Amino acid sequence: MTENYPSITRRGALLSGAAAAAAMALPSSFGFAANIASNTTSIKGDNTMGYITTKDGVEIFYKDWGPTDAQPIVFHHGWPLSSDDWDAQMLFFLSKGYRVVAHDRRGHGRSAQVADGHDMDHYAADAFALVEALDLKNAVHIGHSTGGGEVARYVAKYGQPSSRVAKAVLVSAVPPLMLKTKTNPGGLPMEVFDGIRRGVAENRAQLFVDFPTGPFYGFNRPDAKVYPGVIQNWWRQGMMGSAKAHYDGIKAFSETDQTEDLKAIIVPTLVMHGDDDQVVPIDNTGRLSVKLVQNGTLKVYKGYPHGMLTTHADVLNADLLKFVEA
């Protein structure tokens, strides 16, 4: 495992831990130009953004763009980012006539920085509250990394059988289980996740520079083209969120066994994963997930990193569109 992570001093200890985190891609226009010429408070029409309020009183920020009568595509970001993670995909699908919706997970981005509820059950319940508030039907739910875990729990618990969910996509996603256990020998050891916790508690701002600079986008590879703006945008999104939510979220993405969630998913499911993912290694996640869902397809991207939705947005967007339209 050590060969997957860059070697640095104290900073490296934090980064090596971070390399196992299920963090999500950040917004970018890489390759995009070629593709473009429940209990809630008030909801304000289409082509807007706003807040809903969950049953336990948490304000969740969301974006809702496009015609309300179009098929909705719902994007679920991961740790420690925000709905801005999906800028390249939201603009792409908006240009194709779809309704695109994304929210900031509780404690992340512009959502309320509450102390509690940073676990997959609450993540999925919050997503359900949003879906109900906007009355989304026949939606395609796309989740990256931790967001993939959120999609799996949401679809399994709230989306079936109903008219709410049409398809699901898991991109570089954490299920079925990140942590190494006796029954999951291919997982990552607890020491890795403890390293992330130390990074958040001791110097979150530096951790959020080190992580995107290194394994998240594969910028630590010898032939990588490094984009400073991408690193800065990752940092911006991360630092908008709550340290408490980020700290507790490590347990959520690393220790939640979602085997049964995956087994329960009956809608067509696309699993997308890079084989050079240094953050969520493919063998114990993507390759296992596709075997557990009932109607799954695995698409492997040779040499692609964890943040491939940003670094290879043109390729990923085209493949997502094909799946959505199939």
Side-chain angles (χ1 to χ4, degrees):
M1 182 195 70
T2 55
E3 66 183 4
N4 286 332
Y5 305 102
S7 147
I8 26 188
T9 58
R10 178 172 174 273
R11 172 183 171 187
L14 302 182
L15 181 55
S16 67
M24 318 349 56
L26 54 75
S28 166
S29 59
F30 294 2
F32 177 61
N35 291 292
I36 285 194
S38 115
N39 293 309
T40 67
T41 54
S42 60
I43 301 297
K44 298 181 179 178
D46 58 345
N47 296 313
T48 189
M49 60 186 183
Y51 290 85
I52 64 160
T53 301
T54 65
K55 288 182 178 180
D56 57 344
V58 179
E59 288 193 326
I60 301 294
F61 173 85
Y62 73 93
K63 306 173 187 180
D64 179 12
W65 303 340
T68 55
D69 59 348
Q71 183 178 17
I73 300 178
V74 184
F75 298 93
H76 303 250
H77 74 82
W79 185 98
L81 304 179
S82 73
S83 56
D84 293 349
D85 171 34
W86 292 104
D87 281 356
Q89 284 70 44
M90 291 184 72
L91 291 173
F92 174 78
F93 278 99
L94 186 64
S95 76
K96 301 298 182 182
Y98 289 90
R99 180 181 183 181
V100 293
V101 177
H103 68 288
D104 293 354
R105 187 171 298 119
R106 64 169 58 203
H108 294 63
R110 290 138 293 203
S111 290
Q113 294 197 8
V114 292
D116 301 315
H118 306 297
D119 54 69
M120 285 296 176
D121 281 337
H122 281 87
Y123 296 167
D126 293 349
F128 180 57
L130 178 66
V131 166
E132 281 202 312
L134 300 180
D135 194 25
L136 303 179
K137 297 178 180 177
N138 194 37
V140 178
H141 286 263
I142 304 176
H144 181 245
S145 204
T146 301
E150 179 178 301
V151 167
R153 180 61 53 90
Y154 165 76
V155 174
K157 189 170 183 178
Y158 299 102
Q160 303 174 152
S162 75
S163 61
R164 295 289 188 193
V165 180
K167 297 178 181 180
V169 184
L170 308 179
V171 186
S172 307
V174 299
L177 176 62
M178 287 282 288
L179 182 67
K180 180 178 181 178
T181 65
K182 288 183 179 179
T183 57
N184 187 45
L188 297 167
M190 182 64 80
E191 291 80 8
V192 170
F193 304 109
D194 286 341
I196 308 170
R197 274 181 273 266
R198 285 195 302 273
V200 170
E202 296 175 8
N203 195 344
R204 183 171 63 131
Q206 186 60 52
L207 177 68
F208 288 0
V209 173
D210 295 342
F211 193 25
T213 301
F216 191 92
Y217 297 107
F219 289 164
N220 56 332
R221 295 308 193 202
D223 58 347
K225 182 176 181 180
V226 178
Y227 294 86
V230 167
I231 296 168
Q232 293 165 15
N233 196 31
W234 202 100
W235 184 91
R236 174 191 68 84
Q237 290 184 73
M239 294 305 294
M240 286 171 65
S242 158
K244 179 64 162 59
H246 293 162
Y247 190 92
D248 290 354
I250 296 162
K251 180 180 178 70
F253 71 64
S254 65
E255 298 181 43
T256 305
D257 188 340
Q258 298 195 258
T259 300
E260 296 306 314
D261 289 334
L262 293 170
K263 288 180 178 179
I265 297 176
I266 60 176
V267 297
T269 303
L270 176 63
V271 179
M272 311 170 86
H273 221 110
D275 68 0
D276 193 33
D277 190 328
Q278 302 171 72
V279 178
V280 181
I282 185 174
D283 286 343
N284 203 59
T285 52
R287 294 193 195 280
L288 295 184
S289 291
V290 75
K291 296 177 181 179
L292 293 170
V293 297
Q294 297 184 39
N295 184 12
T297 301
L298 173 64
K299 189 167 182 62
V300 179
Y301 296 86
K302 184 172 178 57
Y304 282 21
H306 188 64
M308 62 184 180
L309 283 163
T310 296
T311 59
H312 298 81
D314 54 343
V315 176
L316 271 291
N317 287 352
D319 287 346
L320 286 168
L321 182 63
K322 288 178 185 177
F323 177 70
V324 170
E325 292 184 337

